[in-house]
Amino acid sequence: MRFAILSRSDNKSEVIKSRVKQYLTDFSLEYDEEKPELVISVGGDGTFLEAFHTYKHRLKDTAFIGVHTGHLGFYADWVPEEVEKLIIEIAKKPFEVVEYPLLDIKIHPVDSEQYQQFVALNEVSVKSIDSTVAMDVHIKGAHFERFRGDGLCVSTPSGSTAYNKALGGAILHPSLNALQITEMASINNRVYRTIGSPLILPKHHVCELLPLYHDRSMLITVDHNTEEYANIDRIECRVSDEKIRFARFRAFPFWKRVHDSFISDERT
Ligand code: NAD
């Protein structure tokens, strides 16, 4: 089997990276950064997001696993002390795979048919640099609301425990092929009105965000990458046909992961 390791580059992560690389090579696995079947991220959730985006072009052929070298991560859920055990598990058998939904994002510019396409593991968020965000929200081709406020976040089920959760969104089990829209400080008064609740859309319901003022710059963040855009006609979000594949070497159910990340990792 071919594997690659992506580290956060701090001392601790680099030491673990070289240990894992050496052990797995000793077990006759091949280190291949071009076409890995297994990608091991060593660092935190940010490193895991980086690993996902590095290999998003070959999701069908790549499975991911995360070791954390800081505090417990949501994706990076193996502790450094378990690394030997993990190596033996990787070396000895074909692994099971668990698949989670992703989000497809298309940014369509004004006056052009050429759009930019992205895939998110956690979410896309749309904010403004210096003024209120004003966007029409369309769902399944129909106008739903005119949003004014700090911005909107559209998240995946596994991203629902990230930014979405901080915005008051629900935590969604990743067996649900869905996306969730959450508001950031919407303006609600007698003039402006938004739904005010997070919305959960099924796979075949496309959500489009249409900025009202094309000349105003917007900040669009896909997972951990932020870019500034102007002249956007619409941002199209839908549940992706592709999924992320997690290599599973032990049972770690989603709700236990949520419990251990947010409530306590002690059994009480
Ligand atoms: P980072 O690595 O510092 O991540 C920020 C925090 O989000 C970390 O504590 C990380 O463990 C946690 N996190 C990331 N994905 C998660 C998930 N799916 N479930 C639970 N926690 C998760 O910063 P970064 O590298 O810029 O990471 C970008 C991510 O940070 C974004 O995808 C976004 O979801 C998250 N974020 C969260 C907030 C917030 O909670 N207020 C604000 C901005 C961004």
Side-chain angles (χ1 to χ4, degrees):
M1 185 176 60
R2 299 183 305 274
F3 72 100
I5 307 174
L6 205 136
S7 131
R8 182 165 50 193
S9 300
D10 59 292
N11 234 350
K12 189 173 178 186
S13 305
E14 282 297 300
V15 169
I16 290 176
K17 175 181 172 173
S18 54
R19 215 163 86 209
V20 174
K21 188 174 174 182
Q22 182 64 54
Y23 286 167
L24 287 179
T25 316
D26 290 348
F27 275 114
S28 304
L29 275 76
E30 185 190 341
Y31 191 75
D32 180 349
E33 288 186 348
E34 288 297 308
K35 292 183 172 172
E37 293 156 275
L38 179 68
V39 170
I40 304 162
S41 109
V42 182
D45 284 334
T47 322
F48 193 97
L49 290 172
E50 192 68 47
F52 167 77
H53 283 277
T54 305
Y55 293 103
K56 64 190 171 198
H57 57 287
R58 41 176 291 113
L59 290 177
K60 283 189 184 66
D61 302 310
T62 308
F64 295 83
I65 188 149
V67 176
H68 69 82
T69 49
H71 64 92
L72 176 69
F74 196 76
Y75 297 118
D77 56 14
W78 285 79
V79 297
E81 296 71 41
E82 295 176 302
V83 156
E84 269 80 14
K85 193 175 152 215
L86 176 62
I87 288 162
I88 293 166
E89 290 296 317
I90 295 173
K92 81 175 182 200
K93 58 181 179 195
F95 50 82
E96 260 182 72
V97 163
V98 179
E99 296 187 333
Y100 284 1
L102 298 168
L103 181 71
D104 269 347
I105 303 127
K106 286 183 188 152
I107 302 178
H108 296 266
V110 174
D111 299 333
S112 169
E113 291 299 307
Q114 289 209 321
Y115 56 81
Q116 281 183 269
Q117 188 158 6
F118 301 88
V119 61
L121 174 56
N122 272 350
E123 76 283 291
V124 60
S125 65
V126 182
K127 299 181 203 172
S128 151
I129 293 177
D130 49 8
S131 53
T132 300
V133 169
M135 295 186 287
D136 278 327
V137 178
H138 289 196
I139 296 177
K140 229 184 150 196
H143 183 264
F144 180 74
E145 66 180 10
R146 179 157 286 186
F147 175 90
R148 287 174 204 263
D150 282 0
L152 286 169
C153 170
V154 183
S155 65
T156 64
S158 61
S160 67
T161 46
Y163 199 6
N164 167 79
K165 183 174 180 295
L167 296 170
I171 296 181
L172 248 64
H173 193 277
S175 59
L176 299 167
N177 248 338
L179 60 77
Q180 180 166 192
I181 309 168
T182 39
E183 298 182 352
M184 296 171 205
S186 56
I187 301 176
N188 268 290
N189 52 36
R190 283 191 300 175
V191 184
Y192 303 127
R193 184 129 313 273
T194 65
I195 190 72
S197 307
L199 300 175
I200 296 169
L201 273 51
K203 184 170 164 72
H204 55 291
H205 289 195
V206 178
C207 149
E208 289 169 300
L209 311 176
L210 296 86
L212 296 190
Y213 310 107
H214 293 146
D215 54 331
R216 288 190 193 168
S217 289
M218 313 204 88
L219 290 178
I220 301 185
T221 307
V222 177
D223 292 340
H224 57 315
N225 296 313
T226 303
E227 297 276 344
E228 187 180 331
Y229 293 84
N231 296 313
I232 296 172
D233 178 57
R234 65 190 194 282
I235 303 156
E236 197 182 302
C237 302
R238 67 174 75 219
V239 177
S240 177
D241 289 332
E242 291 205 282
K243 292 200 170 190
I244 181 170
R245 302 164 70 240
F246 293 94
R248 198 176 96 146
F249 296 102
R250 61 165 183 219
F252 197 177
F254 179 76
W255 294 119
K256 172 146 179 56
R257 192 181 293 263
V258 172
H259 173 273
D260 289 1
S261 295
F262 296 105
I263 297 176
S264 161
D265 57 1
E266 286 163 21
R267 286 166 206 276
T268 47

